[in-house]
């Protein structure tokens, strides 16, 4: 009996020892787990702080790099402009594009349906998405890297503020080809010139009423009058350089503009019916030569509407031009 009691006590003692041992083990595991969690939390917090610090200095580095890139591009542009100014005998250097917005090529996104909507000896016109305003714009890319031509056209367009003249948004002279970015006059990714509409008139009938055409003519006359009041001559007015949108006329393509105080002149070897006779003979352009070109445009539109010339002049060349247009 005593032996069985001793065995029972020994068994209980072993159980208590095992229980205490397991309890200590659980306590040690809990302490270790809490310590590990605390260390892990400290480590994660340290990683977050390091990441935030890294992101902060990465953003600063990117900003400084972009500023350096822009500064380099600006210095490069100014160097080109300075060379042009010196080549033309300028005593002091003045940046002629200081008031014009400079647009980076990265700000212009190629549209999926991008297409060339116009081309010529100057280059080509493309539709792009201008990220800053999230709007479709027209990029006129010049075929020749002629910074002087960009300056001339940009200065003119930046001066003009008329509802029938596209607004210049800026220039891109960071990389070639140089380009001018301007308001897109059109809808459904298409533009319509007077020339195209008149061709459509001859085949399908006039898309506009006579009253609408008169309104278009008034628009372009007012636009050209605004140009002259600002001291500029267009020098290339023709039906291909007049857009029509929602029964309104818009004068475009200012690649040949010049100041009224510094008219240009050249000797023509070909006959252009929209160019004034005196200009064809090599005399300087003038406001009168622009008005002559306007007359050719309006007479061409009038012919499409069934109007005929009923008078003649004492100048055979002008009469021949009128006969060609009527």
């Amino acid at each position: 009996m005593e032996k069985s009691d001793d065995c029972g006590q020994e068994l209980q003692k072993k159980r208590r020892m095992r229980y205490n041992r397991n309890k200590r083990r659980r306590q040690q595991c809990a302490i270790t787990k809490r310590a590990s969690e605390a260390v892990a939390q400290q480590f994660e917090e340290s990683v977050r702080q390091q990441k935030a610090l890294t992101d902060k200095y990465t953003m600063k580095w990117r900003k400084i790099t972009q500023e350096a890139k822009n500064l380099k591009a600006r210095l490069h542009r100014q160097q080109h402009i300075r060379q042009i100014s010196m080549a033309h005998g300028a005593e002091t250097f003045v940046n002629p594009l200081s008031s014009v917005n400079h647009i980076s090529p990265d700000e212009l996104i190629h549209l999926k349906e991008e297409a060339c909507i116009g081309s010529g000896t100057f280059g080509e016109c493309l539709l792009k998405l201008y990220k800053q305003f999230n709007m479709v714009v027209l990029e006129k890319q010049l075929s020749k890297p002629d910074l002087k031509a960009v300056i001339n056209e940009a200065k003119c367009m930046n001066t003009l503020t008329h509802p029938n003249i596209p607004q210049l948004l800026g220039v891109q002279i960071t990389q070639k080809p140089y380009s001018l970015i301007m308001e897109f006059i059109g809808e459904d990714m298409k533009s319509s010139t007077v020339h195209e509409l008149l061709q459509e008139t001859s085949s399908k009938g006039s898309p506009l009423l006579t009253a609408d055409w008169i309104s278009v003519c008034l628009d372009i006359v007012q636009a050209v009058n605004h140009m002259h009041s600002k001291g500029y001559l267009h020098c290339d007015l023709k039906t291909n350089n007049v857009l029509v949108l929602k029964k309104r006329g818009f004068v475009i393509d200012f690649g040949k503009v010049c100041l009224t105080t510094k008219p240009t002149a050249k000797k023509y070897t070909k006959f252009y019916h929209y160019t004034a006779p005196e200009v064809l003979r090599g005399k300087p352009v003038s406001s009168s030569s622009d008005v002559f070109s306007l007359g050719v445009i309006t007479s061409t539109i009038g012919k499409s509407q069934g109007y005929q010339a009923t008078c003649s002049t004492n100048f055979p060349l002008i009469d021949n031009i009128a006969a060609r247009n009527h």
Side-chain angles (χ1 to χ4, degrees):
M1 187 68 180
E2 291 179 0
K3 188 175 181 180
S4 61
D5 290 341
D6 292 339
C7 289
Q9 290 177 358
E10 185 68 23
L11 183 60
Q12 289 179 356
K13 183 179 179 181
K14 288 182 179 180
R15 286 177 178 173
R16 282 195 300 271
M17 290 175 63
R18 185 166 57 250
Y19 172 78
N20 291 333
R21 187 167 56 249
N22 291 337
K23 183 178 179 180
R24 286 194 301 272
R25 189 177 297 164
R26 287 193 299 270
Q27 289 175 346
Q28 289 176 355
C29 288
I31 293 172
T32 303
K33 184 178 180 181
R34 286 195 296 269
S36 299
E37 289 176 350
V39 171
Q41 189 174 2
Q42 291 178 356
F43 179 76
E44 289 177 359
E45 182 64 25
S46 176
V47 169
R48 280 196 296 269
Q49 292 177 356
Q50 292 293 332
K51 187 176 183 301
L53 193 62
T54 302
D55 292 342
K56 176 182 176 181
Y57 284 103
T58 299
M59 291 297 294
K60 285 187 176 181
W61 174 79
R62 288 178 178 174
K63 183 178 179 181
I64 293 172
T65 303
Q66 186 62 40
E67 289 177 352
K69 183 179 178 181
N70 294 340
L71 178 61
K72 184 178 179 180
R74 187 161 61 251
L75 291 174
H76 181 69
R77 289 194 300 267
Q78 290 181 351
Q79 184 179 9
H80 276 282
I81 297 170
R82 188 187 301 273
Q83 290 174 353
I84 290 177
S85 299
M86 293 176 65
H88 287 77
E91 296 181 359
T92 57
F93 170 68
V94 178
N95 187 349
L97 291 178
S98 58
S99 60
V100 179
N101 182 33
H102 293 271
I103 298 176
S104 168
D106 298 333
E107 297 182 71
L108 300 172
I109 302 176
H110 293 268
L111 298 175
K112 291 182 179 179
E113 61 272 22
E114 177 189 10
C116 176
I117 63 170
S119 61
T121 55
F122 64 87
E124 58 183 9
C125 294
L126 303 172
L127 292 181
K128 298 286 184 71
L129 181 66
Y130 188 15
K131 290 195 293 186
Q132 183 175 351
F133 298 106
N134 192 31
M135 63 183 293
V136 176
V137 297
L138 180 73
E139 182 182 23
K140 179 182 178 181
Q141 293 185 350
L142 304 185
S143 56
K144 297 179 180 179
D146 188 354
L147 190 59
K148 182 182 176 182
V150 176
I151 293 173
N152 186 53
E153 188 167 355
K155 284 180 65 178
C156 171
M157 293 191 69
N158 204 44
T159 304
L160 304 178
T161 54
H162 194 273
N164 299 106
I165 295 176
Q167 180 184 359
L168 179 71
L169 300 176
V171 295
Q172 187 286 114
I173 53 177
T174 304
Q175 65 183 29
K176 299 175 184 179
Y178 299 146
S179 61
L180 295 97
I181 292 83
M182 62 193 75
E183 174 189 7
F184 170 56
I185 305 297
E187 55 185 356
D188 298 329
M189 301 297 176
K190 293 181 180 179
S191 294
S192 298
T193 65
V194 168
H195 179 74
E196 292 170 342
L197 292 177
L198 293 180
Q199 283 187 329
E200 184 179 339
T201 298
S202 61
S203 60
K204 301 179 182 179
S206 179
L208 296 177
L209 299 175
T210 301
D212 299 330
W213 278 118
I214 293 175
S215 178
V216 169
C217 290
L218 287 174
D219 287 339
I220 60 179
V221 168
Q222 290 172 357
V224 174
N225 181 60
H226 175 73
M227 282 192 67
H228 291 176
S229 69
K230 294 293 184 178
Y232 283 97
L233 302 174
H234 190 282
C235 307
D236 195 24
L237 290 169
K238 53 186 177 181
T239 53
N240 272 325
N241 287 339
V242 178
L243 295 178
V244 178
L245 176 65
K246 296 180 180 179
K247 303 177 183 179
R248 294 179 59 198
F250 299 85
V251 176
I252 61 169
D253 195 354
F254 302 90
K256 295 183 180 180
V257 294
C258 69
L259 293 169
T260 54
T261 55
K262 297 180 180 179
T264 58
K266 62 176 285 188
K267 191 70 175 179
Y268 286 82
T269 57
K270 293 182 180 180
F271 175 80
Y272 298 96
H273 72 279
Y274 54 82
T275 305
E278 69 274 14
V279 176
L280 289 173
R281 290 195 294 266
K283 291 187 177 181
V285 294
S286 63
S287 57
S288 298
S289 60
D290 269 357
V291 172
F292 177 90
S293 301
L294 277 176
V296 174
I297 294 173
T298 54
S299 66
T300 304
I301 293 174
K303 178 185 175 183
S304 72
Q305 299 301 299
Y307 292 94
Q308 301 294 330
T310 58
C311 63
S312 61
T313 70
N314 294 324
F315 300 95
L317 180 58
I318 295 178
D319 291 338
N320 289 336
I321 293 171
R324 286 186 178 216
N325 287 280
H326 296 285

